[in-house]
Amino acid sequence: MKKQKVTENIKITRDVPVSMRDGTILYADIYRPDDQEKYPVLLLRTPYNKSDAQTMNYAHPIWYAKNGYVVIVQDTRGRWKSEGTFDPYKAEGQDGYDTVEWAAHLPDVEPKVGMYGFSYAAAVQLLTAAERPPHLKCIVPAMIGSDGYNGHVYKHGAFALALNLSWTLFVSQDEAFRRGKWDWLREISFNTAAIQSLYHYLPLKDVPAVKEELTPFYQKWLEHHVRDEYWDRYSMQDHYEKINVPVLHIGGWYDIFIDGTIENFQGIKKYADAKAASEQYLFIAPWYHMPWSRYVGELDFGEHARNRIDEIQLSWFNRWLKDEENEWCQKKPVKYFLMGSNEWREASQWPPPNTINTNYYLHSSYKANSINGDGKLSIHLPEKEASDIFVYHPSIPVPALGGRSGADPVLTPMGPKNQLPIEARNDVLVYTSDILEEDVSVVGDIKVILYASTTAEDTDFVVKLIDVHPNGNAYNVAEGIIRASFRNSLERQEPVPASQVIKYEINAGAIANVFKKGHSIRLDITSSLFPTFDRNPNRLVKPGSATAADFIAATQTIYHGGRYPSHVILPIVKEQR
């Protein structure tokens, strides 16, 4: 094992030009130990300003340089100081390849390159790895999905409004600055600060401060509201078999991309060659998109949930770039944070073995509307029971309290929050288990089988899994949505037959949570999760074109007796100490 040294003297070279194969010049900052030794390279390619280097979540590049690396942080094409036009994801694979190979041939470096970064900078890594640059040895993509359409811009047909609008405005600020559009920059900054009001603006294609000249992709996202060929460039799924390097996939239980992060891990293990498949690792913390901390939303997940990603990454890079014999040589491929017990667990796969899918059925005697109703959740199959009815009107949507959005928790709904304020509404159905007599560990993918009818030609159904604490506070654990017209396919919409009972399978995502003894398990059902997702007008209207004039009320009926046993499937695992 090579002995690792720490150096205090760091040399910084800024705005180093890097020529891409088409002649476009991208600019990078280089941090290196100021001595005569050769060191491997860590590369971060970001659209969010190389001077910042994603220090919201990571240590400064100087920290990594002090630990024996040449750290290169580059502005991606068309962003900040780099030349070219920003067209999300389009050129990142080739630009990443060119930058990796340029870095490996710098004087006084050891020609081994690792990459890190979260969100867009994580997608950059996967797209680069798919191009197979010879000197790329490992990557650490954090908080990124597997498909640009489903689980990113849309979720089962619903437009991810909060993430998409806040990100578009954020990106457009640099675009306005680069073009000297100072009046636009002021308008964009003002509207970003007032984004909670902006979410209500209709139609979405005409939102103030979204300038098509600056961010044409936003309009294209709205136009391509089904999963068509436009979305292929955004898909990581199409590249799994091309990945041939070790990958540490980092996710967060309250991140919008958690399901895609897991899918990337599983997909590469399945489709890549045997060597690369054996070098895939999954690390899931209880965090949202940013910042990473033990404090998430309204909960403190304890000392074990502190952000130690820099130490983890350093160990990872030492393993693959410096041949250090360390924990990664024997480590199990999956490490996840078990919320509730607030401890880490390791597993040989995801979901862990010995998980038993258990059905929890919906019940009510007279009505399940709000916490004033009598909705129950139990493992007992219902017999004849009356259905539950509520009305959804898009002009008064149910607000998203916390949850799995993305970007900034100040701008978008993220994290665990007490759901009681919305559970007081009659347009939210509430089904609660008896108080638990023992801990119930739920680890895996949550699915809800819902038998429902609607009076509208299109509508949404939203489900939310809740952990009810002994004091009555109810904290969201997972959530899912389905746009009814996409019930059979993401490639086409189909109107919903009026008042016909239809079976919906709603994916509420992956979780790892212990519902503790004395707690209860709850399932909420409604028809909006705003502004995490756009409001369905209850008509077959494109999301970018809908206005308040399109809004109509929909009467929703949820069935849970006889032939229609609506239920949530919980993957329960017996804890092994």
Side-chain angles (χ1 to χ4, degrees), residues 36 49 53 73 167 200 205 210 213 269 319 401 424 566-567:
Q36 302 304 311
N49 193 345
V73 186
W167 190 77
H200 291 265
K205 64 182 180 64
V210 176
E213 180 182 334
K269 284 186 70 67
R319 167 70 182 93
L401 298 182
S566 294
H567 58 280

Side-chain angles (χ1 to χ4, degrees), residues 57 286-288 291-296 299-302 305-307:
N57 287 336
W287 306 328
Y288 42 39
W292 302 341
S293 164
R294 61 184 281 182
Y295 305 103
V296 186
L299 295 182
D300 174 8
F301 286 105
R306 287 178 58 192
N307 177 8

Side-chain angles (χ1 to χ4, degrees), residues 59-106:
H60 195 277
I62 290 174
W63 184 86
Y64 285 96
K66 285 182 176 181
N67 281 278
Y69 287 93
V70 174
V71 185
I72 300 174
V73 186
Q74 182 187 63
D75 288 331
T76 55
R77 180 179 294 248
R79 298 294 293 161
W80 300 90
K81 291 194 174 182
S82 288
E83 296 178 358
T85 300
F86 180 61
D87 193 352
Y89 304 104
K90 183 177 181 180
E92 300 301 357
Q94 291 184 354
D95 287 352
Y97 180 106
D98 293 349
T99 305
V100 167
E101 292 307 298
W102 165 83
H105 288 89
L106 287 172

